[in-house]
Amino acid sequence: MAQTVLMQMSFFDALDSLVSSAETRINRPKGTAHPRYPSVIYPLDYGYLIGTTAVDGEGVDLFRGTDSTTGITAVALTVDVMKRDVEVKTLVNCTPTEIDRVAEFLTGSLRLGATIVHRSFPPIRAQPSTPERLESVSVDV
């Protein structure tokens, strides 16, 4: 008799898997002007994950910091009221100061609604009651 068991993968575990399986393309290096707002300068490398798709139809966006030992440190949830757009931007290898710079860039320079969701270190695994991504696995009993 097979019984279905639900296994959970946390948001950040799933994002780790996505980031580690995709190549990163940096199309706006740190210090580059924003394409629509030339006075706005990117505080960190900015790009996307090749072979992924975000809600806007483009690759999953990311900011890349300088601490190559940390991996995914946070995500930025953004709302652009003018474009009527909501996005998730991944922050990879960012120091706390770099995360603050990204937040200021998004809210101050680009005037987006933004919330930074920090990853807990060490990564905390999802608890059974957490409504995360669920995956069904059949187990023979």
Side-chain angles (χ1 to χ4, degrees):
M1 166 183 201
Q3 178 182 2
T4 300
V5 177
L6 297 177
M7 293 176 41
Q8 297 182 353
M9 178 181 281
S10 81
F11 175 83
F12 282 106
D13 288 340
L15 197 52
D16 280 334
S17 178
L18 187 65
V19 169
S20 68
S21 67
E23 185 180 340
T24 299
R25 175 164 294 146
I26 299 299
N27 57 354
R28 298 175 194 164
K30 177 181 178 179
T32 300
H34 189 281
R36 287 191 314 261
Y37 310 106
S39 64
V40 175
I41 306 301
Y42 281 85
L44 300 176
D45 288 342
Y46 182 76
Y48 61 94
L49 298 173
I50 297 171
T52 62
T53 307
V55 95
D56 62 3
E58 302 295 326
V60 173
D61 295 331
L62 65 82
F63 285 94
R64 184 176 65 192
T66 58
D67 185 355
S68 63
T69 65
T70 55
I72 299 169
T73 48
V75 293
L77 309 176
T78 65
V79 177
D80 186 332
V81 176
M82 298 300 289
K83 286 175 36 182
R84 303 184 60 78
D85 178 55
V86 175
E87 294 186 19
V88 176
K89 299 176 185 306
T90 305
L91 281 67
V92 179
N93 297 334
C94 294
T95 66
T97 299
E98 290 170 332
I99 293 171
D100 291 343
R101 286 184 189 146
V102 168
E104 175 55 32
F105 174 75
L106 295 171
T107 59
S109 298
L110 294 180
R111 305 272 188 228
L112 301 174
T115 297
I116 303 293
V117 179
H118 294 265
R119 183 177 202 164
S120 300
F121 286 99
I124 297 173
R125 301 294 176 219
Q127 299 302 313
S129 61
T130 305
E132 308 272 349
R133 178 178 165 237
L134 300 177
E135 182 178 295
S136 278
V137 178
S138 292
V139 178
D140 289 327
V141 221

